[in-house]
């Protein structure tokens, strides 16, 4: 077992505790857990990302940067040709190690920081950090099965997790608004659809909550809703909570809220009537 710092131990504790709170701080694919799932750097102090092999076998992971753009439905697509801003962002991101091998249940911290060059304009810069499993090498085996070529191959799926790394420089601001709130259905289940808009020089990230008069808890919540700077608006569809069995029609209050460890900030709020 590798020795880890107190800060890494604290991050692991937070990641484990995320199972008990409303918004998770970790993501998992295959046998890899990563915490946190979003990094914001201001060009000063760096951060730590914790990898944890939750499998029963040793595993090796490679860490690399890639670029993605958000589409209006909130999905991300790969950038085939990075532009100058993408390249500037990649050049300022420093992280280590870039390859780790972990025993079962073993954590490892990845240190990451931003070193922006002099004269870089104020703004928000983003890359995505990819954590990809490297499958163990397996020899090509011979086979004597009739009609075969004498060689057999086995395809091994490769798992990966991608998290955004956002660098914010200077005094940035953002404004948001909510519009076009209406009822919809997805696979026969009711949902509340709406449009979010964004203006300013930074992205937004938070929860969309729908409240109905006389009901204490939100009747619908969508967590982890981001609008990146390449978008001015995006669509959101929020499944209605299974616990709510009342009438969906009528007035509702919709909020878009940024969540922080020490509280929340309302980005936008509107009243609407569902029909």
């Amino acid at each position: 077992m590798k020795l880890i710092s107190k800060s890494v131990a604290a991050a692991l504790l937070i990641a484990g505790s995320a199972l008990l709170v409303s918004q998770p701080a970790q993501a998992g694919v295959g046998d890899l857990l990563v915490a946190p799932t979003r990094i914001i750097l201001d060009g000063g102090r760096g951060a730590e990302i914790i990898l944890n092999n939750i499998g029963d076998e040793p595993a090796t992971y490679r860490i690399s940067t890639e670029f993605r753009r958000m589409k209006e439905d909130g999905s991300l697509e790969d950038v085939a040709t990075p532009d100058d801003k993408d390249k500037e962002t990649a050049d300022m991101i420093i992280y280590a190690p870039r390859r780790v091998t972990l025993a079962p249940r073993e954590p490892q911290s990845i240190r990451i920081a931003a070193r922006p060059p002099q004269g870089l304009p104020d703004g928000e810069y983003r890359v995505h950090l990819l954590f990809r499993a490297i499958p163990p090498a397996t020899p090509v085996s011979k086979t004597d099965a009739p009609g075969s070529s004498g060689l057999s191959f086995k395809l091994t799926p490769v798992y990966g997790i991608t998290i955004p790394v956002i660098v914010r420089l200077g005094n940035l601001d953002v404004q948001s608004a909510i519009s076009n709130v209406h009822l919809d259905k997805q696979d026969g289940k009711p949902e509340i659809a709406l449009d979010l808009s964004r203006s300013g020089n930074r992205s937004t990230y938070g929860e969309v909550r729908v409240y109905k008069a006389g009901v204490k808890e939100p009747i619908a919540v969508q967590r982890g809703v981001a609008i990146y700077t390449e978008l001015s608006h995006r669509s959101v569809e929020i499944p209605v909570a299974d616990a709510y069995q009342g009438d969906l029609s009528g007035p509702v209050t919709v909020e878009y809220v940024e969540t922080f460890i020490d509280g929340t900030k309302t980005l936008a709020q509107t009243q609407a009537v569902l029909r």
Side-chain angles (χ1 to χ4, degrees):
M1 173 70 72
K2 294 178 180 139
L3 294 177
I4 59 176
S5 67
K6 290 182 180 179
S7 58
V8 174
L12 285 172
L13 179 61
I14 293 171
S17 301
L19 298 176
L20 305 177
V21 298
S22 60
Q23 182 171 341
Q26 61 182 15
V29 172
D31 292 330
L32 177 65
L33 283 182
V34 176
T37 59
R38 186 169 177 266
I39 297 292
I40 295 180
L41 303 170
D42 61 5
R45 190 173 68 176
E48 284 184 327
I49 304 167
I50 310 303
L51 310 185
N52 201 346
N53 175 14
I54 61 172
D56 297 323
E57 300 291 336
T60 299
Y61 305 96
R62 179 183 294 117
I63 301 98
S64 60
T65 56
E66 61 178 23
F67 304 99
R68 292 185 171 187
R69 295 284 185 271
M70 179 173 279
K71 298 192 293 185
E72 289 186 359
D73 63 358
S75 62
L76 297 173
E77 59 182 356
D78 292 332
V79 175
T81 305
D83 59 24
D84 291 341
K85 186 175 181 179
D86 292 329
K87 295 173 183 177
E88 288 176 334
T89 308
D91 289 343
M92 78 171 85
I93 298 295
I94 301 169
Y95 61 95
R98 300 194 173 204
R99 178 182 172 125
V100 297
T101 299
L102 302 178
R105 313 297 170 181
E106 181 179 24
Q108 169 74 52
S109 67
I110 306 298
R111 296 183 179 276
I112 185 167
R115 298 290 182 267
Q118 292 291 331
L120 191 66
D122 289 351
E124 182 173 288
Y125 301 81
R126 187 182 83 250
V127 298
H128 291 259
L129 214 57
L130 173 64
F131 305 86
R132 176 170 288 168
I134 302 175
T138 54
V140 177
S141 60
K142 294 184 178 180
T143 178
D144 297 324
S148 71
S149 63
L151 297 176
S152 65
F153 300 90
K154 180 181 178 182
L155 296 178
T156 303
V158 177
Y159 299 101
I161 297 174
T162 304
I163 68 170
V165 177
I166 296 170
V167 182
R168 289 176 175 167
L169 303 178
N171 295 318
L172 309 182
D173 64 351
V174 68
Q175 296 81 40
S176 296
I178 304 166
S179 62
N180 193 28
V181 182
H182 61 280
L183 285 174
D184 206 341
K185 279 191 176 182
Q186 179 70 28
D187 298 327
K189 295 184 177 181
E191 63 180 19
I192 298 170
L194 53 90
D195 294 329
L196 293 177
S197 62
R198 183 205 63 83
S199 61
N201 50 11
R202 76 165 177 90
S203 61
T204 61
Y205 179 87
E207 299 180 0
V208 180
R209 305 168 181 171
V210 182
Y211 293 91
K212 197 166 179 61
V215 181
K216 182 178 179 180
E217 298 297 327
I219 65 171
V221 178
Q222 186 76 294
R223 298 179 175 88
V225 178
I227 314 176
Y228 290 146
T229 52
E230 59 266 28
L231 289 183
S232 59
H233 65 277
R234 62 162 287 191
S235 57
V236 180
E237 294 81 32
I238 314 170
V240 175
D242 293 336
Y244 181 72
Q245 298 297 318
D247 186 9
L248 290 173
S249 62
V252 293
T253 300
V254 185
E255 298 177 346
Y256 184 28
V257 179
E258 280 190 313
T259 55
F260 309 95
I261 294 176
D262 56 351
T264 62
K265 175 184 177 182
T266 301
L267 293 168
Q269 184 181 83
T270 192
Q271 310 290 324
V273 177
L274 298 179
R275 295 182 175 87

